[in-house]
Amino acid sequence: MRNFGRVLTAMVTPFNVDYSVNYNEAAKLAKYLVANGSDGIVVAGSTGEAATLSKDEKLELFRTVLDAVGDSATVIAGTGSNDTRASIEMTQAAEKIGVHGAMLVGPYYNKPPQEGFYQHFKAIADSTGLPLIVYNVPGRTASNILPATIARLAEINNIVAVKEASGSLDQISEIIRITPNDFLVYSGDDGLTLPLLGVGGNGVISVAAHIVGKRMQEMITAFFAGDIAKAQAIHLELMPFFKAIFITTNPIPIKECVNIIGINAGPLRLPLISPTAGETQQLKQVMQSIGVLQ
């Protein structure tokens, strides 16, 4: 499966009041997302608080979401870490569960050189038959996977996509310029989705789509239909929300938004904390301004 869809949502992980994973609510949320604009769901990514999930919790989440929506959407497992061996083991376990693909974050803290990035992702790719998405997010990992390295990785048969969250349209453009036409480039920043499409990208792995998935799907559909004016109008309409959901560390704001619309996403695990009253009020005001909250 080379095309995972245009709008993939990096799903939050619902927790119970005792901070255990709420698998029932995870299934409900996954179904809600697919019914509201998502072509696929990324499970246990940064937005899913993967850093505080155990291996067993991640695997059960993969099973839960796959059972809930696997016939109607792509399910991508977040299996990457800064330990290559552990990433291989997690990816192989996810493959046995039956997910449609895996997303692999660039190794964090280790700060590998570019050849280290290449060898890390190649070793994982060699260990699995799953199609893989490389996830470049220098703001969290402290290391940037350069376009030349992405181009080398794109030569590996089952490395089929990159989620680019460097925030640099120049870098995104260079990746698209030097990779094969069938290599998928996804925006890792909601606000850069339309500019990314304009330089040849494929879609978005989104945080905002928890709340505005249908509008994002409309924006992308309009762009590819040649209705650039409509796509621009939706982009500009949603920009205040794209900014608001990053007023503090992701996924604090988006998890609060999910709770606000009546889906029980629950609390966050430490070291993340609840938003302040002021931040919550700001989120509500922006949600009202774009018509998703009365």
Side-chain angles (χ1 to χ4, degrees):
M1 183 180 297
R2 184 165 282 274
N3 194 340
F4 300 115
R6 300 288 189 189
V7 178
L8 309 181
T9 300
M11 193 180 87
V12 300
T13 299
F15 294 133
N16 295 301
V17 292
D18 64 357
Y19 302 100
S20 61
V21 177
N22 188 335
Y23 296 104
N24 288 335
E25 204 64 30
K28 292 178 184 176
L29 176 57
K31 291 177 181 177
Y32 174 86
L33 294 174
V34 173
N36 287 274
S38 295
D39 299 312
I41 296 174
V42 176
V43 185
S46 303
T47 307
E49 298 177 71
T52 64
L53 295 172
S54 70
K55 178 179 178 179
D56 288 344
E57 287 173 330
K58 290 178 184 179
L59 294 177
E60 188 59 30
L61 275 169
F62 301 157
R63 291 187 194 96
T64 297
V65 174
L66 190 65
D67 287 346
V69 302
D71 292 334
S72 56
T74 52
V75 177
I76 311 300
T79 61
S81 73
N82 65 339
D83 177 345
T84 305
R85 288 185 299 174
S87 301
I88 288 171
E89 291 172 3
M90 181 62 75
T91 304
Q92 290 175 333
E95 183 174 15
K96 289 179 182 177
I97 289 170
V99 298
H100 303 116
M103 189 175 75
L104 305 164
V105 69
Y108 40 88
Y109 191 79
N110 315 59
K111 299 186 74 173
Q114 295 301 307
E115 183 63 24
F117 280 128
Y118 178 79
Q119 295 295 340
H120 170 80
F121 291 114
K122 183 179 185 300
I124 300 168
D126 288 345
S127 76
T128 181
L130 286 175
L132 304 177
I133 303 172
V134 173
Y135 178 20
N136 185 38
V137 57
R140 286 187 180 267
T141 65
S143 295
N144 185 26
I145 309 170
L146 296 178
T149 303
I150 297 295
R152 289 181 68 198
L153 291 169
E155 296 173 0
I156 298 171
N157 185 56
N158 59 329
I159 296 182
V160 302
V162 62
K163 175 185 177 183
E164 240 300 321
S166 65
S168 168
L169 196 59
D170 284 352
Q171 177 157 311
I172 292 166
S173 299
E174 179 66 5
I175 289 169
I176 293 169
R177 188 183 74 83
I178 64 177
T179 54
N181 290 337
D182 62 350
F183 186 75
L184 307 176
V185 180
Y186 287 97
S187 177
D189 299 287
D190 286 298
L192 283 182
T193 303
L194 185 58
L196 175 138
L197 297 180
V199 296
N202 184 73
V204 62
I205 298 179
S206 175
V207 175
H210 283 89
I211 306 299
V212 292
K214 286 184 177 180
R215 292 297 281 160
M216 297 191 73
Q217 189 68 250
E218 289 172 11
M219 179 182 75
I220 293 174
T221 299
F223 175 85
F224 284 108
D227 193 346
I228 307 303
K230 180 178 179 180
Q232 289 173 337
I234 297 172
H235 167 78
L236 295 175
E237 169 199 329
L238 296 181
M239 275 304 297
F241 184 68
F242 295 159
K243 290 185 176 182
I245 57 176
F246 287 92
I247 54 174
T248 186
T249 304
N250 181 53
I252 294 172
I254 196 63
K255 203 165 195 182
E256 182 70 3
C257 291
V258 172
N259 283 317
I260 287 169
I261 64 170
I263 298 173
N264 181 23
L268 299 111
R269 284 181 174 173
L270 286 170
L272 297 184
I273 58 173
S274 299
T276 66
E279 289 165 346
T280 297
Q281 183 59 31
Q282 186 175 343
L283 291 169
K284 288 180 178 178
Q285 288 173 347
V286 172
M287 291 168 74
Q288 288 170 344
S289 74
I290 62 171
V292 297
L293 191 67
Q294 298 303 314

